[in-house]
Amino acid sequence: VAFTGDTFIRGKILDSQGRVFAEDRPVTRVSVIPANITDPVVVYPELARVLDMDQAEIERRVNASPSASWEVALKDMPAEEEINLLNSFNGLNGVAVRAATQRFYPYANAAVHLVGYVTLATAEDMNANESIVEGQLVGRSGVEYGANDVLTGKPGGILSAVECTTRAKRAEIATAAGQPPADVILTVDAEFQVEVDKALATSVQEIDGPDGQKITVGERSAAVILDPETGAVLAMVSHPNFDPNGYITQNFSPEDEA
């Protein structure tokens, strides 16, 4: 028996004018299935070379679940690289190359504490919630976390009887209709959010400390702007911040890593 789930694009997070705070974009995802790797001496160096990754990091991710029969994502590459990647990894057991989606945050640092961020579902996520499937993005903070169920929807799918060895479909047992994801529209104005973020950034300054040495003030700050008539949030900014795209690309700037 096998279940083939629907794949949904995660809903967008939009500002009050329809500008995009967060959306999915197509990528090519390279993963490994640890249980299927038969020649790690060949597989690991080739993955490191093609993906421009540290081999030790690849081995660390595999060794975290060495017997896993599911895909462990390594890196998302440009969508147009799919054919080249399939050719590069052809014949390497345990390597999977698939079309996928990647979350993108156009306003980056300026809205991170408001919008939040996502990461790929972990084994712990899937064990805790049976509706979460391999490769799904899960909200970890902000609106991405608070509205995760709305943004994710509920995938449907097909339950089938399959051959034990070939996994070929023999018969369809049942189908389940899913609930498509929805966009979330905020009262926040993205351009105003950026201006408030800039205002906090320019408030950072050096002053003379009690002992005559220079000290930096204003690095930790926050601002929430409300509409006085409706109470709607127009901007919500906090410093220090970071670029949430780093959680998706696994490529944080030195400032964000610090």
Side-chain angles (χ1 to χ4, degrees):
V1 176
F3 180 76
T4 305
D6 296 331
T7 56
F8 284 139
I9 297 296
R10 189 174 173 87
K12 297 178 182 180
I13 300 177
L14 307 172
D15 85 336
S16 59
Q17 306 303 311
R19 304 183 189 97
V20 176
F21 271 128
E23 66 178 351
D24 284 0
R25 292 187 175 182
V27 294
T28 298
R29 179 164 297 147
V30 179
S31 307
V32 290
I33 304 172
N36 292 355
I37 297 175
T38 56
D39 195 353
V41 174
V42 174
V43 170
Y44 295 156
E46 186 65 5
L47 283 168
R49 182 187 69 82
V50 175
L51 300 181
D52 191 24
M53 288 183 67
D54 183 6
Q55 183 174 330
E57 172 61 15
I58 294 172
E59 294 182 21
R60 184 192 67 79
R61 296 194 195 183
V62 173
N63 292 335
S65 304
S67 301
S69 57
W70 58 82
E71 294 181 10
V72 177
L74 293 180
K75 191 172 184 178
D76 286 343
M77 304 291 283
E80 58 270 19
E81 288 295 313
E82 183 176 6
I83 299 300
N84 291 335
L85 290 166
L86 285 168
N87 291 333
S88 295
F89 298 129
N90 183 39
L92 295 183
N93 293 334
V95 180
V97 178
R98 303 186 188 283
T101 55
Q102 180 188 74
R103 203 65 165 165
F104 178 65
Y105 301 99
Y107 289 93
N109 303 52
V112 60
H113 294 298
L114 167 69
V115 176
Y117 64 93
V118 296
T119 64
L120 286 169
T122 63
E124 290 77 13
D125 292 323
M126 291 183 282
N127 289 335
N129 186 341
E130 62 181 14
S131 69
I132 296 177
V133 298
E134 176 67 31
Q136 184 174 319
L137 295 173
V138 178
R140 302 301 185 190
S141 73
V143 176
E144 291 277 35
Y145 172 77
N148 188 69
D149 290 346
V150 175
L151 292 165
T152 301
K154 186 176 180 181
I158 301 173
L159 187 66
S160 306
V162 298
E163 295 288 349
C164 293
T165 54
T166 65
R167 310 302 289 172
K169 182 177 177 180
R170 294 179 56 190
E172 184 177 301
I173 300 173
T175 61
Q179 178 182 334
D183 296 340
V184 172
I185 302 174
L186 308 181
T187 58
V188 171
D189 183 295
E191 296 305 315
F192 185 45
Q193 174 85 7
V194 170
E195 292 305 314
V196 175
D197 179 70
K198 289 179 180 177
L200 288 189
T202 56
S203 69
V204 179
Q205 57 182 311
E206 285 191 340
I207 63 173
D208 293 325
D211 56 1
Q213 293 185 337
K214 294 289 186 180
I215 59 174
T216 302
V217 297
E219 290 181 304
R220 296 182 178 276
S221 56
V224 178
I225 314 298
L226 304 179
D227 184 315
E229 294 185 354
T230 65
V233 177
L234 304 179
M236 181 182 293
V237 180
S238 181
H239 282 198
N241 55 26
F242 60 91
D243 184 352
N245 291 300
Y247 279 105
I248 304 299
T249 63
Q250 298 299 308
N251 184 27
F252 286 102
S253 69
E255 293 79 10
D256 288 347
E257 287 183 339

